[in-house]
Amino acid sequence: QKEVEQDPGPLSVPEGAIVSLNCTYSNSAFQYFMWYRQYSRKGPELLMYTYSSGNKEDGRFTAQVDKSSKYISLFIRDSQPSDSATYLCAMSGREGAQKLVFGQGTRLTINP
Amino acid sequence: KAGVTQTPRYLIKTRGQQVTLSCSPISGHRSVSWYQQTPGQGLQFLFEYFSETQRNKGNFPGRFSGRQFSNSRSEMNVSTLELGDSALYLCASRSSGVTTEAFFGQGTRLTVV
């Protein structure tokens, strides 16, 4: 069993829809949680970074962490075709730890 | 300012050969990490260098090695290439050893034939 599980999709939704992306994990030592966006033929780009449990909002993006359930989510409101990409969750056990453990990535397509 | 630069962007090698990939981090950044990305395994951590010292290493065979120079530029080397080494190799840089935000380069696409 992988430390981080993420449904690879693909996920296809109409423009303007609310998108929900999720990851589950098994290692209770994880404290730092990140979401990256990766466009085709590009490197991952950091979208959101959260510590421990709680919510964080940045524009149309909201990240949620539920450590008791070992479950994290990324919500995208008012989705746009430019949001079409692969979304990767990543986590680490201590601040500064460069050994990030990634989910498989979910391929998302927003249809105009 | 310039982002993370990886060279070359694409590479084709034959089984048994060796390859060296290069990464120039963002100016002023001292930490460089390498990841391998494949469709089957996703992104997997290879190793991290900070101030020319390897600080952490993933579960890869000894054929995978790296180094970092005094100007923070880093190279990774894969010897005796296998077909399964075909992947996108990504480099990430951070400003220091304590921040978590990592900036990735566009990667080097290695194909082993």
Side-chain angles (χ1 to χ4, degrees):
Chain A
Q1 183 186 5
K2 293 186 176 182
E3 278 189 287
V4 180
E5 298 280 356
Q6 183 178 10
D7 187 340
L11 181 62
S12 182
V13 301
E15 182 176 355
I18 296 175
V19 177
S20 173
L21 304 167
N22 311 294
C23 289
T24 59
Y25 62 95
S26 58
N27 189 342
S28 58
F30 289 143
Q31 297 182 62
Y32 298 89
F33 304 92
M34 287 136 277
W35 285 95
Y36 282 85
R37 176 175 63 194
Q38 186 174 23
Y39 291 114
S40 181
R41 302 182 188 280
K42 301 284 189 181
E45 170 194 13
L46 181 64
L47 280 177
M48 302 287 282
Y49 162 61
T50 52
Y51 169 69
S52 194
S53 289
N55 294 358
K56 185 174 183 178
E57 187 173 322
D58 184 1
R60 297 184 294 111
F61 298 90
T62 299
Q64 287 185 352
V65 175
D66 182 350
K67 288 190 69 180
S68 62
S69 302
K70 296 190 179 65
Y71 187 89
I72 70 170
S73 301
L74 177 71
F75 297 95
I76 307 174
R77 292 183 299 281
D78 188 24
S79 56
Q80 304 294 312
S82 59
D83 295 327
S84 298
T86 295
Y87 289 79
L88 299 142
C89 63
M91 39 200 87
S92 69
R94 61 177 175 84
E95 186 173 18
Q98 191 54 164
K99 185 178 179 180
L100 299 177
V101 181
F102 282 84
Q104 191 75 359
T106 299
R107 181 175 290 184
L108 172 67
T109 300
I110 308 297
N111 301 304
Chain B
K1 57 183 176 183
V4 180
T5 303
Q6 290 189 244
T7 56
R9 290 289 312 278
Y10 303 93
L11 208 49
I12 300 176
K13 290 287 188 178
T14 304
R15 264 185 309 174
Q17 287 187 313
Q18 74 167 16
V19 67
T20 299
L21 312 181
S22 179
C23 171
S24 292
I26 293 171
S27 178
H29 283 199
R30 296 166 60 192
S31 168
V32 173
S33 296
W34 289 88
Y35 289 81
Q36 181 196 65
Q37 187 175 30
T38 60
Q41 298 298 317
L43 266 152
Q44 293 186 289
F45 174 79
L46 280 157
F47 28 66
E48 179 206 5
Y49 287 88
F50 180 78
S51 294
E52 302 179 66
T53 301
Q54 187 181 89
R55 294 204 305 181
N56 205 346
K57 191 176 189 304
N59 296 323
F60 279 82
R63 300 184 298 107
F64 292 81
S65 62
R67 59 178 175 169
Q68 186 180 34
F69 302 95
S70 58
N71 62 358
S72 294
R73 188 178 71 86
S74 178
E75 290 181 345
M76 69 163 282
N77 183 277
V78 188
S79 62
T80 319
L81 284 165
E82 301 177 359
L83 296 179
D85 297 333
S86 295
L88 179 67
Y89 290 89
L90 291 159
C91 164
S93 84
R94 293 186 300 155
S95 58
S96 72
V98 295
T99 56
T100 302
E101 185 171 14
F103 298 90
F104 282 85
Q106 296 208 47
T108 294
R109 173 77 62 185
L110 171 65
T111 302
V112 182
V113 297

